[in-house]
């Protein structure tokens, strides 16, 4: 059974209009108490960054007050931010993490 051409065209147009979910940046915020090693570990464990990339992001946080740990759909970004807060609390660090639209 064949599908009429106009129906195929309509399906193709609908697929083209389907948008990707909006992305959010996960931000780490500098503080005077959380160690640099802990921030690197968070970036490696939660954000799956290499040691070199984690170190670069950590230094950006340290020098600029904030740094982007990653960009994800909202639910993933919120989950990762919650994991950062949970791990920081467990290790008694005041590390703050937030999300904002990319």
């Amino acid at each position: 059974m064949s599908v009429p051409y106009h129906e195929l065209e309509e399906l193709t147009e609908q697929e083209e209009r389907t948008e990707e979910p909006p992305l959010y940046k996960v931000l780490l915020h500098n503080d005077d108490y959380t160690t640099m090693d802990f921030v690197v570990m968070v970036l490696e464990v939660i954000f799956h960054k290499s040691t070199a990339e984690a170190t670069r992001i950590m230094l950006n946080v340290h020098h600029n007050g904030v740094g982007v740990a990653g960009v994800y759909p909202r639910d993933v970004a919120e989950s990762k931010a919650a994991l950062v807060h949970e791990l920081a609390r467990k290790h008694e660090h005041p590390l703050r993490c937030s999300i904002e639209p990319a």
Side-chain angles (χ1 to χ4, degrees), residues 24 56 95:
Y24 287 78
R56 185 190 65 74
L95 182 61

Side-chain angles (χ1 to χ4, degrees), residues 48-59:
H48 308 289
K49 303 294 184 187
S50 67
T51 301
E53 180 73 359
T55 301
R56 185 190 65 74
I57 294 168
M58 176 276 297
L59 288 171

Side-chain angles (χ1 to χ4, degrees), residues 63-77:
H63 293 296
N64 299 315
V66 67
V68 178
V71 179
Y72 307 94
R74 185 179 188 125
D75 59 335
V76 175

